[in-house]
Amino acid sequence: MLNLDFSILNWGLIQGFILKGLWFSILLTAVATAGGIFFGTLLALMRLSGQKWLDAPAALYVNVMRSVPLVMVILWFFLLVPLLIGRPIGAEYSAVVTFIAFEAAYFSEIMRAGIQSIPRGQVFAGQAVGMTYGQNMRLVILPQAFRNMLPVLLTQTIILFQDTSLVYAIGAYDLLKGFETAGKNFGRPIETYLMATVTYFVISYSLSSVVKSINRKFAIIR
């Protein structure tokens, strides 16, 4: 009979093993979201530029990244880059770079849809008052696109947070690694993995509730 003991869950375990991993998972999520949105927006603009020399490489990058499992990108970057540059880069740094590069492809499609959702009349209005393409995008189109896509961007961020558990594959000390280390130290791996599951669920469900609330408010405003 399976004998579970959750008495190991105390402040000492949380402070000694969990908080460090939780902090890295949150930091990785925040940095990858910011970097992914920034580079994803650039990729979206390249794809919408109408210039084949910009559209083709951007489309190739996005399609390739969206066709490869994230864990494979993490592993190959972590294993191959040190061979190319001749020195290790560290699991945490590798995870940050990989996530930004990978998430940029997904945020690119979100931003492209957001930009295309803006009525053409908004573009023509900006042109009519003498705005350049860059000014029109920066001052008129992108602010509206970000606002329209905010719930989707936040949903992708929640998925990103869940995906941070994949850095476990290269030994980075994330939230899942913290629980796994605690399980080994206390000899209770089943309990700590169950705790990890509950923790991911609570965080993700709470954030999803916030996104639903924001989505309702935006729907009312529209």
Side-chain angles (χ1 to χ4, degrees), residues 16 19 71-72 87 100 108 113 121 124 139 166 174 183 192 202 207 213:
L19 288 183
V71 68
M72 297 305 300
R87 60 182 179 83
I100 291 175
S108 168
F124 298 145
L139 301 175
L166 295 176
D174 70 316
T192 51
V202 169
L207 293 175
S213 177

Side-chain angles (χ1 to χ4, degrees), residues 165-177:
S165 61
L166 295 176
V167 301
Y168 174 90
I170 57 175
Y173 200 101
D174 70 316
L175 181 58
L176 181 59
K177 182 68 173 179

Side-chain angles (χ1 to χ4, degrees), residues 25-101:
S25 292
I26 293 174
L27 182 63
L28 178 57
T29 301
V31 173
T33 298
I37 291 176
F38 176 78
F39 290 108
T41 301
L42 292 181
L43 288 169
L45 293 175
M46 289 172 66
R47 297 198 66 182
L48 295 171
S49 66
Q51 303 294 323
K52 191 172 182 61
W53 64 278
L54 289 174
D55 179 24
L60 177 64
Y61 179 87
V62 170
N63 291 329
V64 169
M65 279 296 189
R66 286 167 57 88
S67 301
V68 180
L70 174 56
V71 68
M72 297 305 300
V73 178
I74 293 171
L75 286 170
W76 281 113
F77 187 89
F78 179 71
L79 295 173
L80 290 181
V81 171
L83 294 178
L84 296 175
I85 65 177
R87 60 182 179 83
I89 58 176
E92 284 74 17
Y93 181 76
S94 177
V96 170
V97 175
T98 302
F99 266 75
I100 291 175

